[in-house]
Amino acid sequence: GQLDGAWKELESGKSCRRKQVAKKERGVQPDPGRMIEGLRDTWYDFNTAIADIVDNSIAADAKKIDLALAIDFRGNISISIADDGYGMSRDELELAMKYGAQARPNPASLGKYGLGLKTASTAFCRSFTVCSRQDPNEPLYSATWDLDHVIKKEKWLLLLTDEIAEEIQENF
């Protein structure tokens, strides 16, 4: 029918080339809650998700990577991945936590689109925190993605902290 012909024209691009129509631009922001929930469903299995997160330690030239798994009396599971790689400044930490962050310069890195750390983490949890610093004499910075907070506030809000509990800082 007529629609089939129109569809074929659009597929080939003919109708777009024939008519020069002034186009308007309009920024369309995705719904933060729906988007962050949708990005959780990335088909990660647990081992691949951990490997994707550990790749960040490898990319930071870590010589030692420590994985710890804990479960509390309520059955809540916590996973910690710590390394001795070069750390990040506050600005670098914020950039690393940005969905769609810039590509890494090392082509051997698994990081391609700036999503791995975030999607690998949220595939198995609703909140995750990254702590980092470049020098042991500097304060320890942390950034947290809390999916429930994003949904509640309806904004892409990264939670930042400069004052990390002393017991956590002792482990770094």
Side-chain angles (χ1 to χ4, degrees):
Q2 282 184 326
L3 289 179
D4 288 337
W7 180 254
K8 287 178 185 170
E9 267 189 65
L10 286 175
E11 278 184 340
S12 68
K14 289 179 186 174
S15 65
C16 293
R17 279 188 247 127
R18 276 191 266 160
K19 298 176 186 175
Q20 290 296 325
V21 178
K23 295 180 179 146
K24 296 179 185 178
E25 289 183 350
R26 181 175 306 213
V28 180
Q29 299 298 317
D31 178 89
R34 288 184 50 85
M35 183 62 119
I36 207 162
E37 284 287 351
L39 288 169
R40 293 185 76 204
D41 191 13
T42 53
W43 303 96
Y44 273 105
D45 65 44
F46 185 77
N47 292 336
T48 304
I50 295 297
D52 207 336
I53 297 167
V54 168
D55 180 62
N56 294 296
S57 299
I58 295 167
D61 293 328
K63 305 296 182 252
K64 179 182 173 188
I65 302 170
D66 182 43
L67 279 79
L69 178 68
I71 187 166
D72 67 15
F73 292 112
R74 293 186 180 142
N76 297 314
I77 298 171
S78 296
I79 299 172
S80 168
I81 302 171
D83 66 54
D84 64 351
Y86 60 83
M88 295 178 278
S89 68
R90 182 184 324 183
D91 291 340
E92 290 170 329
L93 176 59
E94 284 185 44
L95 182 61
M97 295 292 275
K98 178 182 177 182
Y99 279 78
Q102 295 174 345
R104 290 187 185 148
N106 182 352
S109 171
L110 293 178
K112 303 274 185 262
Y113 305 106
L115 295 172
L117 169 66
K118 284 75 69 179
T119 55
S121 298
T122 59
F124 295 95
C125 68
R126 298 199 58 78
S127 175
F128 75 97
T129 300
V130 175
C131 302
S132 190
R133 64 177 164 207
Q134 290 182 318
D135 183 285
N137 298 318
E138 291 180 4
L140 187 61
Y141 304 115
S142 80
T144 300
W145 275 116
D146 182 331
L147 277 60
D148 296 322
H149 185 75
V150 170
I151 291 166
K152 180 180 177 184
K153 296 292 186 174
E154 298 180 352
K155 291 182 181 178
W156 290 93
L157 295 173
L158 181 64
L159 304 172
L160 304 169
T161 307
D162 288 344
E163 297 178 19
I164 306 296
E166 284 185 38
E167 64 270 12
I168 293 173
Q169 287 203 39
E170 290 172 6
N171 293 324
F172 283 87

